[in-house]
Amino acid sequence: TLTIHVAAGTHTESPAIVGALTGQNSPVIITGAGSGSTTIVGQITVSGGASVQITALTGQLASGNAPLSAGTGGTARVGADVKFITSAGVSDLYADLGSTIIVLASYSTSGNKTASWETIGGTIAFVGTIVVTITGTPTVSLGFAYASAGGKIVYDSASLSFSGTISGQQYQVIHN
């Protein structure tokens, strides 16, 4: 397992992990210093067969797709102690054609956004007991959950819960 430790502070890089590592059996782990002390102002992109898990960091993005974006063939996992801060026009999680985002732990979100979960031909899946903590009352323009072009959002309603409220549609499904 390859672990990338990101120091406390605010970082403006947009790391891209493209393609699987030779012999990769487990995800690359990108972890912050914890307790909200590490912020990546940019987009973490996973594609081309790569597999990544993020833990203990804040993803903040003002433009682009999402703080965590899975492109064609990529798999991204959301681990413990993750927070997303977005601006209008951005989603928290974005899964593109043939990609997967797996949420393994509770996380928090704030800021106006396009959607919290957006998939266009990809899959966003929630595994285990997950609480999504919504801070403030963010406005979503497409819906909290948005799926298009065969996109899937998979969860067990008994295991997924929310704390807080949004302004806007709960969900929208088009071209599926």
Side-chain angles (χ1 to χ4, degrees):
T1 299
L2 171 64
T3 301
I4 300 170
H5 294 276
V6 183
T10 300
H11 307 276
T12 56
E13 298 79 12
S14 289
I17 296 83
V18 180
L21 299 173
T22 302
Q24 182 178 9
N25 295 324
S26 58
V28 171
I29 297 174
I30 301 175
T31 186
S35 299
S37 63
T38 303
T39 299
I40 294 179
V41 181
Q43 180 170 307
I44 298 172
T45 304
V46 184
S47 64
S51 179
V52 169
Q53 179 167 325
I54 62 169
T55 59
L57 57 82
T58 297
Q60 182 174 340
L61 192 64
S63 65
N65 285 337
L68 181 59
S69 180
T72 304
T75 301
R77 294 169 175 84
V78 177
D81 197 17
V82 174
K83 182 187 322 181
F84 296 108
I85 302 171
T86 56
S87 299
V90 178
S91 297
D92 294 329
L93 304 172
Y94 178 82
D96 204 352
L97 183 65
S99 67
T100 304
I101 294 177
I102 303 168
V103 180
L104 300 167
S106 298
Y107 70 93
S108 66
T109 181
S110 64
N112 296 332
K113 55 193 87 248
T114 301
S116 188
W117 315 327
E118 181 179 359
T119 176
I120 300 176
T123 301
I124 300 174
F126 295 80
V127 178
T129 301
I130 308 289
V131 176
V132 178
T133 301
I134 302 165
T135 305
T137 306
T139 299
V140 293
S141 59
L142 291 178
F144 192 83
Y146 175 82
S148 175
K152 295 176 270 201
I153 298 172
V154 182
Y155 63 92
D156 175 357
S157 61
S159 299
L160 179 64
S161 62
F162 299 88
S163 171
T165 59
I166 62 161
S167 176
Q169 289 181 234
Q170 291 181 351
Y171 63 90
Q172 185 176 172
V173 179
I174 63 169
H175 305 296
N176 270 7

